[in-house]
Every structure is written in structure tokens, then in C-alpha cells.
Amino acid sequence: MSQFLHTKYASLETYTPGEQPRDKKYIKLNTNESPYPPSPQVVDALTRQEVEDLRLYSDPEGTALREKLAALYGCGPENVFLSNGSDDILNFAFMAFGQDGAVFPGLTYSFYPVFAALHGVLYDTVPLREDLSIDVDGLCGTGRLTVLANPNAPTGLALSLEEVERIVASNPDHVVVVDEAYVDFGAQSAVPLIQKYENLLVVMTYSKSRSMAGARLGFALASRPIIEDLEKLKYSTNPYNVNRLTLKLGEAAVDSDAYFRENARKIMATREKTAQALRALGFTLPDSKSNFLFVKREGLDGGLLYQKLKDRGVLIRHFSDPRIAQYNRVTVGTDEEMEAFLTQVKAIMKEEGLL
Ligand code: PMP
């Protein structure tokens, strides 16, 4: 740290992204990326001309992509906000709507407390229930910005639309953010509620089901006044927050919507197969509606399993938080990748005298 940094950032604890090691080729099951490439239309979307046109700024309004997303989700383009990955929107949400403080579940996306700290937003957390599900009543009527991921991370558990609506309806004077990064893997989206509740902000990403994490594209759907607030912050920080190439690729992805829905279906099928195999090996895991599994095996230390798998070329995500140190989060890859993962898990269990 330099002597020049504003004192308000001196003790900021940053978010730790999943590791992206380059030392060898891993089976990479640690950052919830899709194992499948983007659609053929996306792969072919960029012409030489598009690259030459990089000399020009991107459309700050992203009109063409917003129109396509609006048609896909049944709202107006004025209800759509585009961003450089959905983290960008979450950042704006804490910046814009956290004046009275914030509330989120005790175990959730670990970036929320970082955004809160960054913007000086005081927050409380509502512990998960014994079965790791979100305590819906605890998130109702908070009288503060309320943020939840549905499905939640890293548990993968989803709330029903009725439960999400109860939270949104109970907090009419504050924004409720529903982070739907993983919604396409089997949960119900809250998007149909944006016409009904002015305080609802639904956040989505191209990083997971649409196989475009590296393109950095996120979007939000909400009532017009909420979108206007986000636009205010965007035009006060970075008006060209989505680059030209990504806008183009994003449009091509909407045009090939069926392709990514089929991929999501494949991932869900692989998830169920893998979950069943892990349960047969004595693992316990919640019923995931996302593209990852949150797994624990009695007698097998979470950190040890992570390290031994890494030594064998399989990367999963281990969290240092002592409350979940016995767990690991495993992204669902292809059938072949998950078979390789299970083979190594069994070998490690043998080594540890558990099989
Ligand atoms: N929300 C949740 C719950 C996530 O797990 C992630 C991925 N780390 C994000 C949002 C952000 O994803 P991105 O910025 O790639 O859109």
C-alpha cells in the first residue's frame, strides 16, 4: 500500500477470485464457468470489420442488445441495463441503494460484504437455516437494501418464486436485489415480477449458462426508475462500460438462445448424475439448482480433498471461512470431466482408508 491511498480504503478486505493457475492443464471445476463453448453464432459473430471498428467507441446505450434482451425477457428496453459483468451492477447497487444499510444471508456470494465495505454500507447477515437454505422470514421487512442470490452461492439451493416475492413485497421502501447468476440451471426467475414491484432489481450474467465469462457481460432488469439510478452511476463512472466486441457477441448469444438452454439442460443432467455418485460415496450435498455442487464427506477434510485433487490435476473451490472449511464447491463440467473427478475422489478416499 502506498502512502497516497485514501485512508477509507486502507483496511478494505478485497474479494478473492478463484485461482486461474497456468502451471499445467487442469480439469477446471473451480469458478463455475461453462464447460461448453459459446454458440456457433457467437463464435462466428466477429468480422474483420468489427475489429477494425474498435477505433470507434461502443454505443454507450447498447441499444441493439437491450432491445434483444427486452424481447427475450418480455419487458421494454428501458427496463434493461448492461454492464461489464454482473459484479459491476452489484457494485452499483450497494453504491446507489445502501444508504440505510444492507442485509443479506449469512452464507452467500462473498463479494457482497466487500461491496458493502467499499461503499461504507453497514450490513447485517441473516444466518442460513440448519439445512443451509435461506431464512426467508429473516429477509422480510428489513427496511434496508436486501440482497440475495437465487440460487444461492455456494450452496446452490433455490427459493421458489413465491418466497422471493414475499421478500420483495415486504420491503416496499427499499431495493431488493435478486442475483440470478445461476438461475438458468433449474430455478425460477423473478423477472415476471419487475412490472409489479418498483423496488425489485434482478441481476443476470452471460458468464455461466451463456458460456461467456471472458466477455464480461452482465445485465439487470428492473422498473424504469431503478434503471435510471443505475444509469446515473454508470454515466458518472464509465459510460462505455461494455466494449464493442462484447455487445456484438451478446447480441449473437440472444439470437441463439436455444443453444444455451440445451447446454444448461446437459449440465443439469450431469449435475444429477454426479450428485448421485457422490451420495453413494457418502458425501452430503444440498439439492443444487445451479451449475455447481456444495459437497462434504464425513471423515474427509475439505482442505485435504481440495489439495489432493489439485495435485492430481483437478481444481475445485475450497473456502477458508471456518464455517464451511469442511465443504468444497465443485463446478459441473462435462460428463467426461465429472467421471475423471469421481475417479480421483475415489482414489483419494482409498488412500485415506475411507473405501
Ligand atoms: N453473482 C454470483 C452469485 C456469482 O457467483 C458471480 C460469479 N463470481 C457473479 C455474480 C458475478 O459474475 P460476473 O461478474 O462474471 O457476471
Side-chain angles (χ1 to χ4, degrees):
M1 184 169 48
S2 81
Q3 59 180 304
F4 310 111
L5 182 68
H6 196 302
T7 49
K8 71 180 174 185
Y9 299 126
S11 59
L12 186 65
E13 282 195 39
T14 60
Y15 172 71
T16 313
E19 59 191 322
Q20 305 284 0
R22 310 273 174 230
D23 57 334
K24 62 178 183 196
K25 196 158 168 32
Y26 288 93
I27 294 181
K28 206 171 164 304
L29 308 176
N30 70 324
T31 47
N32 298 343
E33 290 142 329
S34 173
Y36 301 111
S39 74
Q41 275 114 305
V42 172
V43 172
D44 290 337
L46 294 184
T47 60
R48 198 184 165 82
Q49 186 63 50
E50 303 288 350
V51 180
E52 285 179 1
D53 285 348
L54 280 177
R55 69 191 179 80
L56 302 169
Y57 282 108
S58 55
D59 171 10
E61 295 183 8
T63 307
L65 178 54
R66 282 171 55 221
E67 280 172 357
K68 280 187 190 281
L69 285 169
L72 184 64
Y73 286 99
C75 58
E78 69 281 4
N79 301 115
V80 183
F81 178 81
L82 303 176
S83 66
N84 191 317
S86 60
D87 282 336
D88 229 15
I89 303 170
L90 298 169
N91 180 38
F92 282 157
F94 278 90
M95 196 192 288
F97 308 121
Q99 190 168 347
D100 295 331
V103 179
F104 42 84
L107 183 61
T108 188
Y109 185 27
S110 56
F111 219 144
Y112 301 156
V114 179
F115 289 131
L118 177 65
H119 300 299
V121 173
L122 298 177
Y123 66 90
D124 279 322
T125 58
V126 177
L128 297 186
R129 296 202 200 99
E130 192 69 20
D131 63 358
L132 298 179
S133 64
I134 285 178
D135 176 358
V136 175
D137 291 331
L139 287 180
C140 281
T142 63
R144 284 171 279 174
L145 169 67
T146 303
V147 183
L148 64 138
N150 193 41
N152 196 17
T155 63
L157 286 170
L159 296 180
S160 68
L161 186 57
E162 290 70 32
E163 289 171 312
V164 172
E165 179 162 8
R166 196 141 64 79
I167 295 168
V168 177
S170 73
N171 207 16
D173 296 327
H174 289 83
V175 169
V176 175
V177 175
V178 182
D179 177 351
E180 295 193 348
Y182 302 103
V183 76
D184 297 322
F185 301 104
Q188 284 175 292
S189 174
V191 168
L193 302 179
I194 65 167
Q195 317 291 354
K196 193 166 164 193
Y197 297 98
E198 191 176 306
N199 64 324
L200 170 62
L201 172 59
V202 179
V203 180
M204 296 202 181
T205 180
Y206 273 63
S207 297
K208 315 295 177 184
S209 54
R210 289 186 169 89
S211 305
M212 288 170 63
R216 310 306 303 127
L217 185 55
F219 58 103
L221 303 168
S223 63
R224 183 62 201 152
I226 295 266
I227 297 292
E228 276 171 359
D229 297 339
L230 296 174
E231 286 171 353
K232 184 172 224 163
L233 296 182
K234 162 180 141 150
Y235 284 102
S236 305
T237 49
N238 184 6
Y240 308 104
N241 63 343
V242 184
N243 72 72
R244 292 182 73 89
L245 304 184
T246 293
L247 284 174
K248 257 283 121 14
L249 298 174
E251 287 171 43
V254 178
D255 290 341
S256 44
D257 197 56
Y259 170 88
F260 99 81
R261 297 218 178 265
E262 172 58 19
N263 278 348
R265 197 199 54 71
K266 278 198 280 193
I267 289 167
M268 287 188 271
T270 307
R271 175 186 72 205
E272 295 313 309
K273 250 195 285 186
T274 310
Q276 207 176 1
L278 284 169
R279 288 196 178 105
L281 291 171
F283 280 79
T284 47
L285 50 154
D287 182 23
S288 172
K289 297 289 181 219
S290 62
N291 67 338
F292 53 82
L293 296 164
F294 192 52
V295 309
K296 177 172 89 163
R297 171 65 161 80
E298 208 60 49
L300 185 58
D301 180 67
L304 178 101
L305 176 63
Y306 157 80
Q307 191 53 53
K308 288 199 167 224
L309 280 171
K310 185 172 179 185
D311 295 343
R312 292 156 179 264
V314 181
L315 265 191
I316 59 174
R317 183 87 192 249
H318 183 252
F319 299 91
S320 53
D321 181 338
R323 294 172 307 163
I324 52 169
Q326 287 313 310
Y327 285 86
N328 280 291
R329 193 194 66 192
V330 183
T331 304
V332 178
T334 60
D335 277 339
E336 297 71 34
E337 286 174 325
M338 300 322 281
E339 271 158 33
F341 158 75
L342 287 166
T343 302
Q344 298 305 336
V345 168
K346 281 183 216 158
I348 292 164
M349 288 178 70
K350 277 216 182 86
E351 259 175 34
E352 296 299 308
L354 294 168
L355 267 189

